[in-house]
Amino acid sequence: MDDYRVKGRSNLEICQLAKKTRVFFGIAEERRVDVLACLASKSIWTVNGKQRLNFQVRPDVEMGTADGMTSHGKDVVTIAIKQSVRDAAFMGDGRARNTLAHELGHAVMHNGIEMPRRALGNITPKWLKSKPFESAEHQVRVFAPAFLINDLIAETLRTADDISIEFGISSESAISIS
């Protein structure tokens, strides 16, 4: 099973957690988030308090079909990302930047099951599709663009393409929030 049940959260609550994470990293007003710099931080704010952050870039072959994976230990959160995803994010690729923010969302909100983010998407069981507010994957799909987007600037933009370009996010995420 790819997706899993978590504490239910409204989209508004998830967006508030994303903004709180921006504040923690000192980037609340930034126009474009340097998500790699955030992940290089030694600590992270989570719904369970401040924890040590262990960011790892792993060889693609080691990660297999997983673009990223987040796991929680005692007072430490580990986010592992494929080398090719890290490199693409460094070059500003929207999907890769979303992947990093997606894993950051798992780190912030979900102290539970280690689950890879698959390039072709994660599967949500039918029983969970009717309760998206309890879906870990739904929550991080809301968190990622909320973390990467500066709301005040976004309000001045007209189209999903403008949002995608301005904030370096995937077109899919830009469409979902516009």
Side-chain angles (χ1 to χ4, degrees):
M1 171 176 58
D2 286 338
D3 199 352
Y4 56 98
R5 178 177 277 149
V6 292
K7 175 187 180 282
R9 292 188 172 93
S10 69
N11 288 356
L12 177 61
E13 182 182 357
I14 296 163
C15 290
Q16 290 169 340
L17 293 173
K19 300 312 177 193
K20 190 168 184 175
T21 305
R22 282 178 70 112
V23 169
F24 174 82
F25 285 123
I27 58 166
E29 305 303 319
E30 293 291 318
R31 185 173 197 102
R32 189 170 179 129
V33 171
D34 183 347
V35 68
L36 285 167
C38 294
L39 290 169
S41 175
K42 298 295 181 202
S43 62
I44 185 172
W45 174 84
T46 76
V47 295
N48 297 314
K50 186 176 171 183
Q51 296 190 8
R52 192 166 53 89
L53 178 60
N54 177 23
F55 177 58
Q56 302 174 355
V57 179
R58 296 183 182 165
D60 284 18
V61 70
E62 182 181 322
M63 295 289 289
T65 61
D67 285 347
M69 189 175 305
T70 300
S71 59
H72 293 79
K74 183 168 173 39
D75 299 321
V76 64
V77 178
T78 299
I79 297 176
I81 297 292
K82 248 184 194 180
Q83 179 72 51
S84 61
V85 172
R86 182 261 174 227
D87 294 347
F90 181 77
M91 297 304 293
D93 177 74
R95 186 186 183 289
R97 288 172 42 79
N98 268 54
T99 296
L100 297 177
H102 176 108
E103 293 304 323
L104 193 60
H106 280 304
V108 167
M109 296 184 292
H110 306 141
N111 187 8
I113 304 167
E114 180 178 293
M115 185 183 79
R117 178 171 194 217
R118 303 189 194 289
L120 298 176
N122 292 67
I123 298 167
T124 299
K126 287 181 184 179
W127 57 266
L128 194 52
K129 285 183 181 180
S130 65
K131 297 181 179 184
F133 59 94
E134 292 181 351
S135 159
E137 287 303 296
H138 169 80
Q139 289 185 9
V140 294
R141 280 192 298 271
V142 172
F143 182 96
F147 178 75
L148 294 171
I149 292 173
N150 178 313
D151 291 337
L152 293 176
I153 295 168
E155 290 174 8
T156 68
L157 303 175
R158 291 190 213 183
T159 68
D161 283 343
D162 292 343
I163 291 170
S164 174
I165 292 165
E166 179 67 35
F167 301 111
I169 65 171
S170 69
S171 296
E172 180 182 310
S173 285
I175 289 167
S176 74
I177 58 100
S178 61

